[in-house]
Amino acid sequence: MPIPFFYTASTLTTQKTVVLDEVNSKHIVQVLRMQIGEQLKLTDGIGTIYTAEIIDAHKKNCAVSIIKSEFVEASKNVVTIAVSPVKNASRLEWFLEKATEIGVNQIVLLLCKRTEKQYVKIERLKGI
C-alpha cells in the first residue's frame, strides 16, 4: 500500500512533533487502522511535503513526528477550472477529488443565474 497523503492547514516548518486535527486523526486511526511507527505524508498546500511517523495513534488527536521535509516546485503550467456548484453535493466533491488528482491547480466556484446550491462548505471542500 502506498504511503497515505494528508493536508494540514498548520505551518509545520519549525515543529518536530505535530498533533493532527480530529478529521485526519479519525481517518488515520479508525479508517486506515494505522498504528504507532507507521509512516504517512503531510502537505501544507504550498509545496512542502513532510514524511512523518505516527507516535500516538489516538482517534481525536493523532500525533506524528516529522522525519523529513522536501519542497516541490510548482508546475509552470497553471490549470484553472471554473464550475458552478450542483444540487447534489457529492457530485461536486467527486469532481474536486478527480480534478485535484489530475493536477488542476485552481478551482473557482461560480454562482450563476441558475445555480441551485448557493452555499457550500468551503472547509470540507479544502479537505477533499
Side-chain angles (χ1 to χ4, degrees):
M1 180 173 98
I3 296 177
F5 202 85
F6 296 93
Y7 167 76
T8 181
S10 61
T11 307
L12 307 174
T13 54
T14 59
Q15 303 171 344
K16 285 290 181 190
T17 302
V18 178
V19 177
L20 301 174
D21 63 352
E22 188 173 347
V23 173
N24 282 335
S25 296
K26 184 176 180 181
H27 190 75
I28 291 167
V29 176
Q30 285 189 318
V31 177
L32 297 177
R33 291 183 166 78
M34 295 182 76
Q35 301 292 323
I36 294 173
E38 292 188 73
Q39 291 186 355
L40 54 93
K41 292 192 182 245
L42 300 170
T43 183
D44 54 10
I46 55 174
T48 309
I49 298 176
Y50 303 91
T51 303
E53 181 177 313
I54 299 173
I55 56 175
D56 182 21
H58 189 276
K59 67 180 180 182
K60 291 199 181 230
N61 49 4
C62 180
V64 297
S65 175
I66 304 296
I67 297 171
K68 72 174 186 174
S69 66
E70 60 181 292
F71 184 77
V72 178
E73 287 290 326
S75 173
K76 302 238 187 271
N77 300 327
V78 177
V79 178
T80 302
I81 292 181
V83 63
S84 178
V86 293
K87 187 175 180 181
N88 187 344
S90 64
R91 288 187 181 194
L92 178 62
E93 292 172 2
W94 179 86
F95 168 77
L96 291 175
E97 180 182 331
K98 299 307 171 192
T100 304
E101 287 174 1
I102 63 170
V104 173
N105 300 90
Q106 297 175 344
I107 300 170
V108 179
L109 296 177
L110 298 174
L111 289 178
C112 301
K113 183 178 179 181
R114 295 181 184 239
T115 300
E116 291 184 22
K117 184 145 179 131
Q118 299 290 324
Y119 176 76
V120 293
K121 296 177 184 174
I122 297 295
E123 289 304 313
R124 176 158 172 78
L125 299 181
K126 285 182 182 178
I128 292 170

